[in-house]
Amino acid sequence: MINGGFKLEKKNFLLKIIIILLLIILIAVLIFFLSYRSNSNNQESIKVDKNIKIYSFQDPFISNIKDSNKILKVVIKLELTNPKIEDVINAKNSLIRHEINLLLRGKTEDDLKGSEGQSMVQKEILDVIRKLLDTESVQNVYFDEFI
């Protein structure tokens, strides 16, 4: 009888261990699915404005820097809130490139230093383009390269 009681206690102990392990696995699976679900909900909440279009000038802008022997190379992209404005940009491409080149040629090394200099040039280019196109549909100017 003593030996039979020991086997019964051993079986109960093993049963308790198995139940605990199953509960741990179940909790881990629930945590995984809940975290995966919350991540997918965050991704769904990101809204993309399909009217926004990025326009890329085909060639980089290369210009001498004023009062310097250095050269500036800039690759410019425009953020457009109205995709139809792309046709106007293509039609006035030469004029836009000319005005941007004039603006860049007037910049000194000090004008172009640091992120403040780049931000100022971006704003000036944005202002020139908006004036030439007579529209606010050009939302922003981006530099892919600024060398």
Side-chain angles (χ1 to χ4, degrees), residues 26-79:
L26 180 65
I27 290 170
V29 168
L30 284 172
I31 290 172
F32 171 77
F33 282 116
L34 289 175
S35 67
Y36 177 77
R37 184 173 170 225
S38 67
N39 285 343
S40 65
N41 285 345
N42 289 342
Q43 291 173 355
E44 290 173 12
S45 66
I46 297 173
K47 294 181 181 179
V48 177
D49 187 351
K50 295 184 181 186
N51 290 328
I52 300 263
K53 176 149 175 92
I54 300 296
Y55 177 86
S56 300
F57 287 96
Q58 289 183 346
D59 297 318
F61 292 82
I62 300 173
S63 175
N64 293 323
I65 297 176
K66 184 178 179 182
D67 301 328
S68 174
N69 292 329
K70 296 183 180 180
I71 293 176
L72 173 66
K73 177 184 175 187
V74 182
V75 175
I76 297 174
K77 292 189 176 186
L78 305 176
E79 180 181 344

Side-chain angles (χ1 to χ4, degrees), residues 89-136:
I89 293 172
N90 286 328
K92 294 187 174 187
N93 194 298
S94 295
L95 178 61
I96 294 169
R97 291 189 68 82
H98 172 74
E99 291 297 324
I100 291 173
N101 278 322
L102 284 177
L103 183 126
L104 294 176
R105 275 189 223 118
K107 298 297 175 191
T108 64
E109 286 184 55
D110 288 336
D111 294 335
L112 302 171
K113 278 188 182 173
S115 60
E116 301 87 22
Q118 288 183 17
S119 294
M120 188 58 130
V121 172
Q122 281 176 301
K123 184 183 178 317
E124 290 175 7
I125 291 173
L126 182 61
D127 291 342
V128 164
I129 292 173
R130 284 179 173 171
K131 182 180 174 187
L132 288 172
L133 301 177
D134 192 29
T135 184
E136 295 290 316

